[in-house]
Amino acid sequence: MFKPFALIAALTLAVSQAAPRIGEHPDKYRLVFDLGTDSTYQVKNAQGSLTIEFQKAVLPVENRSLGLPFIQNYSSTSTTLQLVFAPTYTQMPMVSYLPASGGMAARLIVDLPKEGSGSAVPSNPTTEPRVESPQPSEPQSTAPQQASGNPNPETLYPDSLDPNIDVQNYTLDLRVKPEQNQLDATASIQLKTTQTVSRIHLAFYGLKISSVKQGNTSLKFDQQSRKVTIQLGKTVPRNTSITLDIAYSGVPRPVLEPGETYEDGIGWKKHKNGIFVLNEPNGAMTWFPGNDHPSDKATFKVSITVPSKYLAVFNGTAQGSRNTGNQTTYTYQSIEPMATYLTTVHINQYNVERSTLNGGVQVRNYRPVGISKTFQAAELAKLPDMMRFMESWAGPYPFKEYGVIFTEHPTPYALETQTLSTFPNRPLKDWGFLHEFSHQWFGNSITPKTWSDLWLNEGFATFFQDLYQYPREADLKAFLKTRHTRNRTQQMKPPYIKEREELFSQRAYQRGALVLHALRYRLGDAEFRRILKVYYNTYKFSNASSEDFIQTVVKASGKTDLKAFLESWIYGRLVPDFPELYR
Ligand SMILES: [Zn+2]
């Protein structure tokens, strides 16, 4: 993933004064109001409503439904907002306030516990004017309750993973009406149990399941906000192969974190002329049920049926298309295992450019017809050079295909979707393309075991991006010295991340890259390259953890002191010394 700062700033500006933004959590909805300026306010809780009065004019004038079942009406004047609840809603809203800082507008946050989510912390019913600045806390996810089985190794997104199953293959049949954003689908999921189980959890969000079958037997299932629990009807021993056929439909919507808009949302998204999908980290559940976690990679066979004026694109190998009436079905196959977050679907009208790389890798690049044929052509012309560069560092390109696809719409980030990187229609430097390309080795072929290990993706991609951007050693050193000094001043926390809200922060990227730069200067370039290839070859097409990386480096180098060295760079609270940069 590559998230340019400029885009974040632009989105921040674009959403200010659009009130409110709604984010969904497992246990609550969070309404975020961007305020034009800081202001004191009073909270007035009454039976069935919440009123907040500001001292200054901070809101746009609105009167509408918010689309949440338990809110009957939302209205605001420039100084007052009011939420009117359905009579059945008895939860206590909680109000907090973030003052303007660092270019972000002041925000008022209203947390509305979902019905049946247990007792909420009562809001302060005071009518005294108050301005407070608590950091709104993230709800703590709890690991799924397993009657038996593996402890869940994932602490950041535990609900996305069922550790008791190992999916082998997803066969998805997607029928899409792009104008209505309507999806009718079946998912045939071939899996193996890794423990004795009587039920299975799959991540799934926003669409309605009509049936779950195992062969001819209908299975009982229960859909919750972000998952479906499927009862197998009996206790099944470990190592049993099961195929589940799940039929579902609806209008997919992206997953939003608190305070995010549709633009920021992750997963399946409709835009003016079509549809695109960016899943990292937990958006795959917005369009198919699955074990939506990087540790469970599987093969995919996907067919997408769309009106014939559209082209539908997926990762892997294109297997052709067939027309039925005014509909066209496109079929794709990924025979190399792929994590769910690396899958993508794009539906639009495209110009397609095909070529080959290395005399064998099939390239397909897609530009929506609304985008100029010359857009980023100079950067893409460097693909053969990027291939030579990456193969010199890591060894042969892992897959049989590559390509890039541009979206016609702004996206929250560029993404290394497997064999087909996704880019927004904003210009990027060549090293932005190199970043996503390098993920095909580090991220896609070797995939992290948990989200906390994300620096094994982003630290590596940033490392190669740095090397590509600064081919002269002296320039690289000067650049790294600036970064190291800055990260120290910022007291940047370690790249191994245990705080969900910081997962895609510069900790994984910049401090993650410094792990590798420091190791390279410590070992020397030739020895570093040798060990990097050992690591790659050990874990390609599979998963690795930070511990796997440390152990591989220690073993391959024969240097036991590298264990403490790497641990301080990967887990240490302080940014370690990097003496080679200051000589
Ligand atoms: Zn990345």
Side-chain angles (χ1 to χ4, degrees), residues 543-571:
N543 292 89
S545 66
S546 302
E547 284 303 300
D548 292 330
F549 176 74
I550 293 171
Q551 282 176 23
T552 303
V553 172
V554 170
K555 195 169 157 215
S557 67
K559 294 190 164 102
T560 50
D561 60 330
L562 287 181
K563 183 170 187 292
F565 173 82
L566 287 172
E567 283 173 351
S568 70
W569 276 102
I570 297 167
Y571 306 119

mmCIF file of all heavy atoms in Angstrom, residues 543-571:
data_model
loop_
_atom_site.group_PDB
_atom_site.id
_atom_site.type_symbol
_atom_site.label_atom_id
_atom_site.label_comp_id
_atom_site.label_asym_id
_atom_site.label_seq_id
_atom_site.Cartn_x
_atom_site.Cartn_y
_atom_site.Cartn_z
ATOM 1 N N ASN A 543 3.724 -17.690 4.330
ATOM 2 C CA ASN A 543 3.623 -16.598 5.304
ATOM 3 C C ASN A 543 4.866 -16.553 6.178
ATOM 4 O O ASN A 543 5.475 -17.579 6.440
ATOM 5 C CB ASN A 543 2.412 -16.806 6.226
ATOM 6 C CG ASN A 543 1.110 -16.664 5.491
ATOM 7 O OD1 ASN A 543 0.589 -17.629 4.959
ATOM 8 N ND2 ASN A 543 0.595 -15.451 5.433
ATOM 9 N N ALA A 544 5.187 -15.352 6.637
ATOM 10 C CA ALA A 544 6.311 -15.202 7.567
ATOM 11 C C ALA A 544 5.927 -14.208 8.661
ATOM 12 O O ALA A 544 5.106 -13.319 8.454
ATOM 13 C CB ALA A 544 7.554 -14.717 6.835
ATOM 14 N N SER A 545 6.566 -14.385 9.820
ATOM 15 C CA SER A 545 6.387 -13.455 10.937
ATOM 16 C C SER A 545 7.702 -12.718 11.176
ATOM 17 O O SER A 545 8.742 -13.078 10.600
ATOM 18 C CB SER A 545 6.000 -14.225 12.195
ATOM 19 O OG SER A 545 7.093 -15.049 12.587
ATOM 20 N N SER A 546 7.659 -11.726 12.042
ATOM 21 C CA SER A 546 8.883 -11.001 12.397
ATOM 22 C C SER A 546 9.904 -11.964 12.996
ATOM 23 O O SER A 546 11.104 -11.868 12.728
ATOM 24 C CB SER A 546 8.565 -9.890 13.395
ATOM 25 O OG SER A 546 7.611 -9.013 12.840
ATOM 26 N N GLU A 547 9.420 -12.919 13.815
ATOM 27 C CA GLU A 547 10.325 -13.912 14.407
ATOM 28 C C GLU A 547 10.949 -14.793 13.329
ATOM 29 O O GLU A 547 12.125 -15.148 13.419
ATOM 30 C CB GLU A 547 9.568 -14.782 15.419
ATOM 31 C CG GLU A 547 9.308 -14.088 16.735
ATOM 32 C CD GLU A 547 10.593 -13.593 17.403
ATOM 33 O OE1 GLU A 547 11.467 -14.420 17.704
ATOM 34 O OE2 GLU A 547 10.726 -12.371 17.601
ATOM 35 N N ASP A 548 10.165 -15.168 12.322
ATOM 36 C CA ASP A 548 10.715 -15.968 11.215
ATOM 37 C C ASP A 548 11.847 -15.210 10.536
ATOM 38 O O ASP A 548 12.882 -15.774 10.175
ATOM 39 C CB ASP A 548 9.626 -16.273 10.171
ATOM 40 C CG ASP A 548 8.557 -17.216 10.696
ATOM 41 O OD1 ASP A 548 8.874 -18.057 11.558
ATOM 42 O OD2 ASP A 548 7.401 -17.101 10.234
ATOM 43 N N PHE A 549 11.648 -13.897 10.347
ATOM 44 C CA PHE A 549 12.676 -13.084 9.694
ATOM 45 C C PHE A 549 13.946 -13.062 10.535
ATOM 46 O O PHE A 549 15.050 -13.296 10.035
ATOM 47 C CB PHE A 549 12.150 -11.661 9.457
ATOM 48 C CG PHE A 549 13.177 -10.732 8.873
ATOM 49 C CD1 PHE A 549 13.563 -10.837 7.543
ATOM 50 C CD2 PHE A 549 13.785 -9.766 9.661
ATOM 51 C CE1 PHE A 549 14.527 -9.988 7.004
ATOM 52 C CE2 PHE A 549 14.751 -8.913 9.137
ATOM 53 C CZ PHE A 549 15.117 -9.031 7.801
ATOM 54 N N ILE A 550 13.783 -12.805 11.844
ATOM 55 C CA ILE A 550 14.962 -12.725 12.727
ATOM 56 C C ILE A 550 15.715 -14.051 12.713
ATOM 57 O O ILE A 550 16.943 -14.096 12.532
ATOM 58 C CB ILE A 550 14.533 -12.356 14.169
ATOM 59 C CG1 ILE A 550 13.975 -10.927 14.203
ATOM 60 C CG2 ILE A 550 15.702 -12.505 15.138
ATOM 61 C CD1 ILE A 550 13.319 -10.533 15.521
ATOM 62 N N GLN A 551 14.973 -15.145 12.883
ATOM 63 C CA GLN A 551 15.637 -16.458 12.947
ATOM 64 C C GLN A 551 16.349 -16.807 11.641
ATOM 65 O O GLN A 551 17.438 -17.372 11.649
ATOM 66 C CB GLN A 551 14.609 -17.545 13.275
ATOM 67 C CG GLN A 551 14.255 -17.543 14.766
ATOM 68 C CD GLN A 551 13.159 -18.545 15.099
ATOM 69 O OE1 GLN A 551 12.949 -19.511 14.370
ATOM 70 N NE2 GLN A 551 12.467 -18.307 16.196
ATOM 71 N N THR A 552 15.732 -16.428 10.518
ATOM 72 C CA THR A 552 16.359 -16.720 9.222
ATOM 73 C C THR A 552 17.663 -15.950 9.077
ATOM 74 O O THR A 552 18.670 -16.500 8.620
ATOM 75 C CB THR A 552 15.397 -16.346 8.070
ATOM 76 O OG1 THR A 552 14.186 -17.056 8.258
ATOM 77 C CG2 THR A 552 15.997 -16.699 6.727
ATOM 78 N N VAL A 553 17.642 -14.680 9.462
ATOM 79 C CA VAL A 553 18.860 -13.859 9.327
ATOM 80 C C VAL A 553 19.965 -14.392 10.240
ATOM 81 O O VAL A 553 21.125 -14.534 9.818
ATOM 82 C CB VAL A 553 18.553 -12.376 9.652
ATOM 83 C CG1 VAL A 553 19.839 -11.562 9.697
ATOM 84 C CG2 VAL A 553 17.583 -11.790 8.633
ATOM 85 N N VAL A 554 19.605 -14.729 11.484
ATOM 86 C CA VAL A 554 20.614 -15.223 12.437
ATOM 87 C C VAL A 554 21.221 -16.530 11.927
ATOM 88 O O VAL A 554 22.440 -16.700 11.904
ATOM 89 C CB VAL A 554 19.984 -15.411 13.840
ATOM 90 C CG1 VAL A 554 20.924 -16.149 14.778
ATOM 91 C CG2 VAL A 554 19.604 -14.054 14.433
ATOM 92 N N LYS A 555 20.366 -17.420 11.467
ATOM 93 C CA LYS A 555 20.833 -18.729 11.016
ATOM 94 C C LYS A 555 21.673 -18.605 9.737
ATOM 95 O O LYS A 555 22.754 -19.180 9.626
ATOM 96 C CB LYS A 555 19.625 -19.637 10.764
ATOM 97 C CG LYS A 555 19.978 -21.098 10.655
ATOM 98 C CD LYS A 555 18.722 -21.965 10.676
ATOM 99 C CE LYS A 555 19.036 -23.297 10.004
ATOM 100 N NZ LYS A 555 17.941 -23.866 9.260
ATOM 101 N N ALA A 556 21.164 -17.829 8.774
ATOM 102 C CA ALA A 556 21.859 -17.734 7.482
ATOM 103 C C ALA A 556 23.191 -16.999 7.610
ATOM 104 O O ALA A 556 24.131 -17.279 6.867
ATOM 105 C CB ALA A 556 20.960 -17.034 6.463
ATOM 106 N N SER A 557 23.263 -16.059 8.550
ATOM 107 C CA SER A 557 24.513 -15.298 8.704
ATOM 108 C C SER A 557 25.481 -15.989 9.658
ATOM 109 O O SER A 557 26.682 -15.719 9.641
ATOM 110 C CB SER A 557 24.208 -13.900 9.251
ATOM 111 O OG SER A 557 23.713 -13.994 10.578
ATOM 112 N N GLY A 558 24.943 -16.860 10.524
ATOM 113 C CA GLY A 558 25.782 -17.471 11.560
ATOM 114 C C GLY A 558 26.157 -16.485 12.654
ATOM 115 O O GLY A 558 27.045 -16.758 13.462
ATOM 116 N N LYS A 559 25.515 -15.333 12.687
ATOM 117 C CA LYS A 559 25.863 -14.297 13.677
ATOM 118 C C LYS A 559 24.762 -14.193 14.727
ATOM 119 O O LYS A 559 23.720 -13.573 14.495
ATOM 120 C CB LYS A 559 26.030 -12.943 12.980
ATOM 121 C CG LYS A 559 27.213 -12.887 12.025
ATOM 122 C CD LYS A 559 27.442 -11.446 11.585
ATOM 123 C CE LYS A 559 28.805 -11.283 10.955
ATOM 124 N NZ LYS A 559 28.765 -11.226 9.512
ATOM 125 N N THR A 560 25.006 -14.761 15.923
ATOM 126 C CA THR A 560 23.961 -14.777 16.945
ATOM 127 C C THR A 560 23.682 -13.379 17.507
ATOM 128 O O THR A 560 22.587 -13.116 18.006
ATOM 129 C CB THR A 560 24.339 -15.721 18.111
ATOM 130 O OG1 THR A 560 25.666 -15.362 18.517
ATOM 131 C CG2 THR A 560 24.309 -17.166 17.687
ATOM 132 N N ASP A 561 24.667 -12.470 17.412
ATOM 133 C CA ASP A 561 24.428 -11.117 17.955
ATOM 134 C C ASP A 561 23.397 -10.344 17.123
ATOM 135 O O ASP A 561 22.868 -9.325 17.566
ATOM 136 C CB ASP A 561 25.745 -10.324 18.042
ATOM 137 C CG ASP A 561 26.412 -10.167 16.685
ATOM 138 O OD1 ASP A 561 26.250 -11.069 15.824
ATOM 139 O OD2 ASP A 561 27.076 -9.144 16.464
ATOM 140 N N LEU A 562 23.079 -10.834 15.925
ATOM 141 C CA LEU A 562 22.063 -10.137 15.108
ATOM 142 C C LEU A 562 20.663 -10.277 15.709
ATOM 143 O O LEU A 562 19.776 -9.497 15.387
ATOM 144 C CB LEU A 562 22.072 -10.670 13.675
ATOM 145 C CG LEU A 562 23.268 -10.236 12.813
ATOM 146 C CD1 LEU A 562 23.138 -10.808 11.415
ATOM 147 C CD2 LEU A 562 23.397 -8.709 12.753
ATOM 148 N N LYS A 563 20.480 -11.256 16.588
ATOM 149 C CA LYS A 563 19.162 -11.427 17.205
ATOM 150 C C LYS A 563 18.817 -10.174 18.024
ATOM 151 O O LYS A 563 17.773 -9.544 17.807
ATOM 152 C CB LYS A 563 19.155 -12.670 18.089
ATOM 153 C CG LYS A 563 17.811 -12.989 18.719
ATOM 154 C CD LYS A 563 17.847 -14.368 19.378
ATOM 155 C CE LYS A 563 16.481 -14.799 19.881
ATOM 156 N NZ LYS A 563 15.975 -14.027 20.999
ATOM 157 N N ALA A 564 19.717 -9.789 18.922
ATOM 158 C CA ALA A 564 19.454 -8.606 19.749
ATOM 159 C C ALA A 564 19.402 -7.341 18.879
ATOM 160 O O ALA A 564 18.586 -6.439 19.103
ATOM 161 C CB ALA A 564 20.541 -8.468 20.809
ATOM 162 N N PHE A 565 20.272 -7.293 17.874
ATOM 163 C CA PHE A 565 20.304 -6.146 16.957
ATOM 164 C C PHE A 565 18.946 -5.969 16.259
ATOM 165 O O PHE A 565 18.344 -4.880 16.284
ATOM 166 C CB PHE A 565 21.422 -6.387 15.931
ATOM 167 C CG PHE A 565 21.480 -5.388 14.811
ATOM 168 C CD1 PHE A 565 22.098 -4.162 14.978
ATOM 169 C CD2 PHE A 565 20.925 -5.684 13.559
ATOM 170 C CE1 PHE A 565 22.162 -3.233 13.938
ATOM 171 C CE2 PHE A 565 20.982 -4.774 12.513
ATOM 172 C CZ PHE A 565 21.599 -3.550 12.710
ATOM 173 N N LEU A 566 18.430 -7.066 15.698
ATOM 174 C CA LEU A 566 17.146 -6.973 14.982
ATOM 175 C C LEU A 566 15.981 -6.743 15.941
ATOM 176 O O LEU A 566 15.050 -5.994 15.633
ATOM 177 C CB LEU A 566 16.910 -8.240 14.150
ATOM 178 C CG LEU A 566 17.798 -8.343 12.909
ATOM 179 C CD1 LEU A 566 17.648 -9.715 12.263
ATOM 180 C CD2 LEU A 566 17.469 -7.242 11.891
ATOM 181 N N GLU A 567 16.045 -7.365 17.109
ATOM 182 C CA GLU A 567 14.955 -7.153 18.077
ATOM 183 C C GLU A 567 14.853 -5.685 18.484
ATOM 184 O O GLU A 567 13.760 -5.156 18.640
ATOM 185 C CB GLU A 567 15.163 -8.048 19.314
ATOM 186 C CG GLU A 567 14.773 -9.494 19.031
ATOM 187 C CD GLU A 567 15.124 -10.451 20.164
ATOM 188 O OE1 GLU A 567 15.832 -10.033 21.117
ATOM 189 O OE2 GLU A 567 14.697 -11.611 20.085
ATOM 190 N N SER A 568 15.998 -5.026 18.644
ATOM 191 C CA SER A 568 15.937 -3.607 19.041
ATOM 192 C C SER A 568 15.353 -2.762 17.908
ATOM 193 O O SER A 568 14.609 -1.810 18.155
ATOM 194 C CB SER A 568 17.315 -3.099 19.458
ATOM 195 O OG SER A 568 18.163 -3.003 18.336
ATOM 196 N N TRP A 569 15.648 -3.125 16.654
ATOM 197 C CA TRP A 569 15.081 -2.370 15.527
ATOM 198 C C TRP A 569 13.599 -2.659 15.309
ATOM 199 O O TRP A 569 12.826 -1.796 14.911
ATOM 200 C CB TRP A 569 15.857 -2.679 14.235
ATOM 201 C CG TRP A 569 17.089 -1.845 14.092
ATOM 202 C CD1 TRP A 569 18.379 -2.225 14.335
ATOM 203 C CD2 TRP A 569 17.154 -0.473 13.695
ATOM 204 N NE1 TRP A 569 19.242 -1.180 14.111
ATOM 205 C CE2 TRP A 569 18.517 -0.085 13.712
ATOM 206 C CE3 TRP A 569 16.202 0.490 13.330
ATOM 207 C CZ2 TRP A 569 18.947 1.200 13.378
ATOM 208 C CZ3 TRP A 569 16.624 1.761 12.989
ATOM 209 C CH2 TRP A 569 17.981 2.103 13.020
ATOM 210 N N ILE A 570 13.195 -3.923 15.569
ATOM 211 C CA ILE A 570 11.812 -4.328 15.238
ATOM 212 C C ILE A 570 10.847 -4.088 16.406
ATOM 213 O O ILE A 570 9.716 -3.658 16.196
ATOM 214 C CB ILE A 570 11.779 -5.819 14.805
ATOM 215 C CG1 ILE A 570 12.596 -5.993 13.524
ATOM 216 C CG2 ILE A 570 10.352 -6.311 14.606
ATOM 217 C CD1 ILE A 570 12.898 -7.434 13.166
ATOM 218 N N TYR A 571 11.321 -4.369 17.630
ATOM 219 C CA TYR A 571 10.414 -4.267 18.777
ATOM 220 C C TYR A 571 10.768 -3.126 19.725
ATOM 221 O O TYR A 571 9.990 -2.794 20.616
ATOM 222 C CB TYR A 571 10.432 -5.560 19.609
ATOM 223 C CG TYR A 571 10.151 -6.822 18.826
ATOM 224 C CD1 TYR A 571 11.105 -7.851 18.757
ATOM 225 C CD2 TYR A 571 8.931 -7.011 18.185
ATOM 226 C CE1 TYR A 571 10.854 -9.019 18.048
ATOM 227 C CE2 TYR A 571 8.679 -8.183 17.485
ATOM 228 C CZ TYR A 571 9.644 -9.186 17.417
ATOM 229 O OH TYR A 571 9.388 -10.332 16.725
#
